[in-house]
Amino acid sequence: MDPTQYVPALLSDEELTLCHCKSHMQEFQSWLEQRFFDGDDIIALVSCRAEYMDQLLNRLWQKFSLSTHPALALVAVGGYGRGELHPKSDIDLLITTTSVLTPEQEQAISLFITMLWDLRLEVGHSVRTIDECLEQGLADITIATNLLESRLITGSEDTYAQLQDIIDPETFWPSQDFFQAKHEEQLARHHQFKGSSYNLEPDLKSSPGGLRDLQTILWITRRHFGSSSFLELTNHGFLTKGEYHELEDCQNFLWRVRFALHLGLKRCDNRLLFDRQTTVAKALGYSGEGNQAVETMMKQFYQTIRRVTELNEMLLQLFNQAILGHVGMDVRNITADFQLRGSLIDTTSTDLFTRRPSAIIELFYHIADNEHITGIYAGTIRELRDARRKLTMWLEDIPECREQFMQLLKHPHASGLALTLMHKYGVIAAYIPQWSRILGQMQFDLFHNYTVDEHTHRLVKIIDSFKRDETKVTHPLCCEIYPRLEKPELLLIAAIFHDIGKGQKGNHSEIGAIDARAFCKKHGINKADRKMVSRLVKYHLLMSVTAQRRDIHDPEIITEFARTIGDQEHLNYLYCLTVADICATNDSLWNNWKGSLIRELYFLTQQALRRGLENPLDAKFRIRNNKDTALAFLENSRFSLEQIQALWSTFRSEYFLRNDPSQICWHTTGILNHEDPTLPLVLISQNSTRGGNEVFIYAKDNKHLFASAVSTLGNKNLNIHDAKITSSRNGYVLDSFVILDQTGDFLAPDRVYALQAALEAVLKTGEAPILRKQRIPRQIKPFSVKTQVTFLATKKKRTFVEIITLDTPGLLARISAILSSENIVLHNAKISTIGERAEDFFIISGNNNQPLSPEQQAELRHNLITELADN
């Protein structure tokens, strides 16, 4: 640092004004940023900012005459106490004294802190006496940790010496207590992130494998050994020199990412959000077309946190033995090569995996086979890491490994801890070549929460949950089907390969199907089972797409789907894979609506398969059956058969095809009870109907009705998942919507009544809704989705159209307004949101009740693309 320009210690008293200090800080920040872009050592830069802040605080301490109070000490704590300050890091300060502050001291301190706030510094401060420091430090491990990292900036050395005296290891958080508290703190923090480091928008500091895990190691080292250096751990035999350099490299990389992230922020935030990743990648010098720079950076990031996670776990185990004295844990032999140390599996020799690579897979078979095993012993983790790096070929190319791996997949507990630990320690990537390509593979959308490999790992864990009783509440059909699968290992292989083609050019499902078939052949799986696995991978999205984006009440759709699936066995496997895939995508994607749709598709397909595909269900039979069943429900109602049939005579046949008997009964009762047919009728189910609240509207038709309804629902922050629009023969519409709130839950009763009143008021006017431009959420802003309008088919006087575009607030209302302006009649809508993408399916016709002509299709496509372009 140039001492003539950026040394606050040289500032004169006259220069310590708010304006001049701000200017000085800004110049220093610009200089620091340039040094970063010029490639200066990150450790030096982080230390440089801490040193700058030391000098500035020292001068301001003098400015406010705090140096004239001999008992006051200004102490840096937290990361600042370690001498580390990133561009937007909090400046944690402790002002301590030996006795209660005088009014004069309180005023001076207040002016000092106010100046720091006016300088826009992120200051966290506390003012305590020495006794208060002791009391609060003993009560709170976070405060205790801050005190252990304390460093005197300026003020009384005697007071600071007293502060150091109270944190004596013998009385203030002894090593054993400190270790246990920090270990529990880490476990709780990991739990907040659901144990995963592989979120697509990770927290650099707090995620598993992040900077906090490195700091945890150093905190424990400092408390037990009196040193805060990774190098010290090599002197005590906890780390090899190679592992020491690895930890240093990991910390330096994470520091550079954090430094670059902070340069683009206004205030401290350690989340690497989508809209920040491109800027950070560029600042770090990554390049490439499209998302290539971000992909390269994030792959290195995920590789780094995996290494930190492995070393952190290994060291905490070793600390547990050294600090808590758990050296003599119960040791029991499993085989000649493996033993149990307490609940951890260990090898009996240090070169087992190098001598016999198949023992790597055997290790995980024992984990699956022994329910008492909870993890891998530290020495074995080290041996596994070394052996993994020394491999000169893929494990699947070794015949003994293939035999062991198939035994593992066939084990009833393979999908539990065994495959989780294989993923955690990089063994799946060492076994399957294609898996190594998806390690840390980003997914640039709001649909997925995790990298491709972590998503797949979570899918396997969800499959494992189908064996447990507690899962019957959320996935009853899966829990019923899974035990009946003849070869569940085939489902596991399909799960492993279902997304393995991502990141490559081409259809990832087709690429994965080819890879899965080759894997099965290599592992001696018979031709029929190879075909099963390959088809599961190829069609792993089909059930979800059909259920959510097609009209499953159309018998032809069901017949087509059933013909693709082929038989009941394939249907069972695909259902379990589909449910697990959706649930593993992100934590909020699965809801009752999706569950009910996919379940309904399963049972409709099952009926079609049992009936025989050569005897497809006739639409007339379904209509007749729905009518007869609904009449049976209404038999004891106060309405006569003549009243019911008179009403039904105004309904078109498609109404009875697309609504089940319970809905027909509910609608009929509501309409016949409606006192004034000139006013709109709005019914909202109080309980779950098809996975959500159903909204039913019966009203005189007008061209603005649908747009008004969806606009009102959108203004109430409700998600529309399904819309059925049917017109009657006497000029009324029978519109149904399935809705959920923003959290995916049903509406509370008070919201039901408020929504009903709002819809009735809006529909009564018959006027076109005012479509207000709504603010685009932060999460959506980094994404752009090119609007695509695809006409799929023309059938029975109807045109099918799919619209893919960016999912912005009020989108459905805008689309319906466009259709209305074109005099196009909307008959049905499937609303599907996939992250930032809206993939909506509509059944439409012209106002002459005929399908759209090619000219009308072209005009509609042009208008939709034009109108939605400013999304």
Side-chain angles (χ1 to χ4, degrees), residues 203-215:
D203 188 305
L204 299 173
K205 190 174 181 180
S206 299
S207 290
L211 287 167
R212 272 281 185 251
D213 282 7
L214 289 171
Q215 289 163 3

Side-chain angles (χ1 to χ4, degrees), residues 454-738:
E454 178 62 13
H455 159 71
T456 303
H457 161 239
R458 286 176 173 268
L459 191 158
V460 170
K461 288 177 67 175
I462 291 166
I463 289 174
D464 187 67
S465 76
F466 295 158
K467 297 179 289 188
R468 296 195 288 272
D469 288 341
E470 59 267 27
T471 310
K472 291 180 180 178
V473 176
T474 49
H475 304 299
L477 186 55
C478 286
C479 292
E480 179 185 330
I481 292 172
Y482 185 81
R484 301 203 306 263
L485 298 181
E486 184 179 351
K487 296 179 179 180
E489 67 272 16
L490 301 182
L491 180 61
L492 281 185
I493 297 172
I496 289 169
F497 279 88
H498 84 289
D499 273 355
I500 213 159
K502 284 192 171 179
Q504 301 182 64
K505 293 182 179 179
N507 185 309
H508 80 273
S509 300
E510 294 178 357
I511 294 170
I514 294 170
D515 288 342
R517 184 186 289 269
F519 175 90
C520 290
K521 185 175 183 180
K522 193 169 191 175
H523 286 74
I525 295 173
N526 66 55
K527 188 174 182 180
D529 289 346
R530 293 201 297 267
K531 185 177 179 181
M532 160 83 80
V533 172
S534 179
R535 284 174 59 81
L536 284 174
V537 174
K538 182 176 180 179
Y539 295 117
H540 75 271
L541 294 174
L542 181 63
M543 194 167 205
S544 176
V545 168
T546 302
Q548 296 180 71
R549 291 160 54 188
R550 296 294 179 264
D551 180 12
I552 61 175
H553 296 105
D554 184 339
E556 292 186 22
I557 296 293
I558 296 300
T559 300
E560 180 185 349
F561 177 75
R563 185 171 287 115
T564 302
I565 299 306
D567 56 43
Q568 181 68 52
E569 185 182 26
H570 281 74
L571 180 63
N572 287 342
Y573 279 92
L574 183 61
Y575 180 80
C576 290
L577 181 62
T578 300
V579 172
D581 191 16
I582 294 173
C583 293
T585 299
N586 71 54
D587 300 322
S588 60
L589 187 61
W590 181 263
N591 56 37
N592 289 319
W593 161 247
K594 287 185 173 67
S596 68
L597 271 183
I598 295 171
R599 237 182 351 260
E600 187 174 7
L601 176 58
Y602 173 88
F603 287 123
L604 289 171
T605 307
Q606 185 180 62
Q607 292 170 13
L609 291 170
R610 287 175 177 174
R611 190 172 50 252
L613 298 182
E614 70 281 3
N615 300 306
L617 180 66
D618 181 50
K620 292 181 180 178
F621 173 82
R622 183 183 179 92
I623 291 169
R624 186 167 57 251
N625 182 67
N626 285 347
K627 279 186 173 182
D628 291 344
T629 307
L631 273 176
F633 288 160
L634 291 165
E635 188 174 4
N636 296 321
S637 71
R638 67 186 184 87
F639 308 112
S640 67
L641 179 62
E642 290 75 17
Q643 287 176 295
I644 295 169
Q645 289 183 335
L647 176 64
W648 285 5
S649 68
T650 66
F651 296 173
R652 300 183 191 278
S653 57
E654 65 179 327
Y655 168 83
F656 296 100
L657 178 66
R658 302 187 190 285
N659 291 279
D660 64 39
S662 63
Q663 291 172 293
I664 295 170
C665 180
W666 180 48
H667 299 164
T668 300
T669 302
I671 295 171
L672 292 177
N673 276 327
H674 191 42
E675 295 179 357
D676 188 351
T678 64
L679 296 177
L681 168 68
V682 177
L683 301 176
I684 303 178
S685 65
Q686 291 280 0
N687 301 312
S688 169
T689 302
R690 295 184 293 148
N693 292 92
E694 181 176 353
V695 177
F696 174 70
I697 297 172
Y698 181 73
K700 271 287 188 182
D701 195 8
N702 76 73
K703 63 186 297 184
H704 306 304
L705 190 144
F706 182 78
S708 297
V710 299
S711 179
T712 302
L713 293 171
N715 291 339
K716 297 290 184 182
N717 290 319
L718 298 171
N719 291 324
I720 302 171
H721 292 273
D722 188 35
K724 288 189 281 195
I725 300 93
T726 308
S727 61
S728 70
R729 293 186 175 90
N730 61 344
Y732 279 76
V733 295
L734 302 95
D735 291 356
S736 282
F737 304 89
V738 175

Side-chain angles (χ1 to χ4, degrees), residues 803 814-826 842 844 860 864:
I803 301 174
R814 295 176 67 191
I815 292 175
S816 61
I818 296 167
L819 296 177
S820 177
S821 68
E822 297 287 320
N823 292 317
I824 290 171
V825 179
L826 179 59
F842 301 93
I844 59 178
L860 178 60
L864 283 167

